[in-house]
Each structure stands twice: as structure tokens, then as C-alpha cells.
Amino acid sequence: MVKYIGTSDLQAHLATYPLPEVIGGMVQYLREDFLRWPQFDKSARVASHSARGVIELMPISDGRWYAFKYVNGHPANTAQGLLTVTAFGVLAEVASGYPRLLSELTLTTALRTAATSVLAAQHMARPNSRSMALIGNGAQADFQAIAFHTQLGITELRLFDVDPAATDKLVRNLRNWPALRLVRARSTAEAVAGADIVTTVTADKRRAVIVHPDMIEAGMHINAVGGDCPGKTELHRGVLEKARVVVEFAPQSRIEGEVQQMPPDFAVTELWEVLAGKATGRRDAHEVTVFDSVGFALEDFSALRYLDDHIDAHQAQQIDLVPALDNPKDLVGLAIPVLPYKEQANA
């Protein structure tokens, strides 16, 4: 039997352990795994693009455990009442190849993305950062807002989305955090002005320019989350030229991230190097920093480990995904009914 964590199982977990606690827990798992970076067999995700979106597979292994995530990105889905992003994943034992866990990763991806953003900001944003502009107020924005408020001490959110209904939704959902001051802006430029951190998390699958160089102020940290596939960006290349840029996995980021706009020799630092002290995330209070986040398989590996450790087998469901056989060489016995001995004799 294989442990299965569905959406309802994760909801039950979150009913006992609230979002800030779960996000904080994932931050720790992410930190542990990024610090083990050389131990992982890493590759860029495999993507299948279509006119309407993308379907991707994201594999990784540390030699003991193997994990992968199936994930899609279809921005037009919301017009049909469907999610833009859905995902599921598997955690398997390398020694036997047997899957240990099959889990939903749609909700979990939002949690681990917010946790990764916070982990990077802890090392890249100014320590006294209190104001954040949040550009793009869709499904991912709530998690970013809650994560930065509860884990990094952000007390003011400056909100903008081209769809006012998305901002309405975000404002409603953040009422449970009354200490968080919400400011509705009329444009990206108005939202960004004076912010310590700028988070961009838009969904359009196109090369957009949401943040321009003339919006950038000394000391800003930019958490660029929305650009995550070829041809999809959010920052003007001039923003990157004036900033220290940190990515998750450079070979993947150069294909999918903001840095796809830049020449192949454009200097980037990988997040694990910052966490391990091999590179600095910020030199001084005046430096502009960019975390060019596209989402990497190690983050899903960490999230699956967290789910496996925190949702016990007796709380989750068990499914017969892998056959259990008395004789492992007799797989056909599952497909051909075996007659009782007397019936075989009379046949």
C-alpha cells in the first residue's frame, strides 16, 4: 500500500496547524535541503508547451529518495472556472524504486513557493523591511502575503492587479491578519513607490514588462515569482542589469526565468550558495537584489518530505498503487483468475 495525501487530507492538517506554522516548517525543510545541494542529482524540468499552456515534469533525487512533480500552467483556465495551476507528486525509495507517497501538490506548491520566497528574502532583503508591493493578486498572492507578514515581519502591503476583483478577493482573505495594513494602488508604479520589497506574481504567459528601471529605488529587494517559462517575464532587463540576481538552478532559470532575457554569460548566483555562505545575498543597504524564482524540483522534494513527516500514515489514506504478490515473479496472476484446485482437475 502507498500513502496518499489528497486535498482533503492537507486541509485537515491545516485545520490543526495553521498556514504560518506550515509555511515556517517548510522554510526549515527547504533550508536543510538547499544546504545539501551537491548531494542532489539535478536537471531542468521537462516541459511540453501548447498554445494554451504548459505541462511539466520535475524530477530530482538525493540518492536515497527520488521525487517528481507533474504540474501544468494554463492562464486561460480561470475563464472556464478551472485553476491555472494543478499538480501532484511522488516520493519514492531509490533502493527499491517503490513509491512511498503520492500527494496532491496544487495547494502544496503555493505553500512551498511562498516559503522559498521568504527563505531567499531572509538573506537578500534589508533586515528592517516592513513594506511590500504585491503586483498580481491572484491565487498565489495570498500565500506570499501571509508568508512575508508572518515570517519576515512585513506590516504593509501595497496591492495592484489589472483585475480589481482579484484585489477584492485578496483583501477579503487577509482580514484574519488585522495587523497587516493593506493599501490599494492604482498602478504598479504607485504600489512600488517606497516599498522595501516588490513581489511580482502575475499569470499571463507572455513577455511582459511590469517593473521598469525607473521604479526601482536603492535597497529594494525584488521577489520575481511570475516568470516561469520561456517567453514569460515580468521585469525590464534594465532592472536585472542594476541588481544582484539570485536564482534557484541556473541551467533552468536561463531558459525560464527573468534572466532568459540576458546574455549567457550574465552573472547570477544560485540560492544554495547564499545559504551556505559561499556568496552574499546583499552587500549593503543600498544594493538592489532580485530573486528570480521559477520553482525548482528540490522545493517539491522538500515539500513532499514535510508532508510525509507531518501527516501520519494513520491520518492519510492508503491506496493499492503497487501490487502485493506472494510470488513477485507471478504478476500475471493478477490478470488471470486462478480456478480452485478441483475445478482445474475437472477442466
Side-chain angles (χ1 to χ4, degrees), residues 47-63:
S48 176
H49 294 275
S50 69
R52 296 183 63 85
V54 62
I55 295 174
E56 301 168 331
L57 289 177
M58 301 171 62
I60 195 165
S61 174
D62 68 350

Side-chain angles (χ1 to χ4, degrees), residues 36 39-41 59-68 90-101 301:
R36 298 191 297 122
Q39 299 176 22
F40 285 89
D41 179 15
I60 195 165
S61 174
D62 68 350
R64 181 186 178 193
W65 299 106
Y66 174 93
F68 77 83
V90 169
L91 183 67
E93 183 183 46
V94 169
S96 66
Y98 267 47
R100 173 182 173 84
L101 171 66
F301 181 97

Side-chain angles (χ1 to χ4, degrees), residues 7-40:
T7 303
S8 59
D9 301 306
L10 183 54
Q11 285 181 294
H13 179 70
L14 290 168
T16 304
Y17 302 94
L19 275 175
E21 185 174 340
V22 173
I23 291 172
M26 286 195 179
V27 169
Q28 295 306 315
Y29 275 64
L30 287 161
R31 187 188 306 277
E32 292 171 7
D33 288 335
F34 270 109
L35 289 174
R36 298 191 297 122
W37 184 263
Q39 299 176 22
F40 285 89

Side-chain angles (χ1 to χ4, degrees), residues 37 42-46 56-59 112 227-230 247-260 270 292-300:
W37 184 263
K42 301 172 287 291
S43 61
R45 56 186 154 206
V46 180
E56 301 168 331
L57 289 177
M58 301 171 62
R112 69 81 158 143
D228 58 2
C229 69
V247 302
E248 291 137 316
F249 181 50
Q252 178 174 300
S253 298
R254 293 189 189 278
I255 297 170
E256 302 177 348
E258 297 298 327
V259 294
Q260 67 184 274
E270 291 183 328
D292 182 7
S293 175
V294 299
F296 182 56
L298 181 142
E299 296 152 31
D300 304 305

Side-chain angles (χ1 to χ4, degrees), residues 324-331:
L325 299 173
D326 293 330
N327 180 357
K329 294 185 177 181
D330 189 19
L331 182 61

Side-chain angles (χ1 to χ4, degrees), residues 103-186:
S103 178
E104 83 79 42
L105 286 183
T106 305
L107 179 54
T108 300
T109 293
L111 294 167
R112 69 81 158 143
T113 301
T116 306
S117 294
V118 163
L119 178 61
Q122 288 172 343
H123 295 265
M124 298 179 68
R126 290 175 295 188
N128 61 345
S129 296
R130 294 295 175 265
S131 175
M132 182 169 82
L134 187 49
I135 313 302
N137 300 161
Q140 302 291 318
D142 306 74
F143 298 91
Q144 294 283 329
I146 293 165
F148 275 85
H149 176 49
T150 61
Q151 309 298 316
L152 208 71
I154 291 297
T155 56
E156 179 186 75
L157 277 181
R158 305 172 63 82
L159 312 175
F160 177 71
D161 194 297
V162 293
D163 178 10
T167 306
D168 292 341
K169 175 271 304 180
L170 180 58
V171 169
R172 286 195 305 271
N173 290 343
L174 294 178
R175 287 175 181 168
N176 291 328
W177 284 271
L180 185 55
R181 180 171 179 260
L182 305 179
V183 179
R184 297 184 68 141
R186 292 167 294 183

Side-chain angles (χ1 to χ4, degrees), residues 266-289:
F266 179 74
V268 299
T269 300
E270 291 183 328
L271 179 58
W272 77 273
E273 297 175 283
V274 175
L275 299 180
K278 295 180 179 294
T280 182
R282 166 176 292 274
R283 280 191 294 257
D284 55 56
H286 301 287
E287 186 174 35
V288 175
T289 57

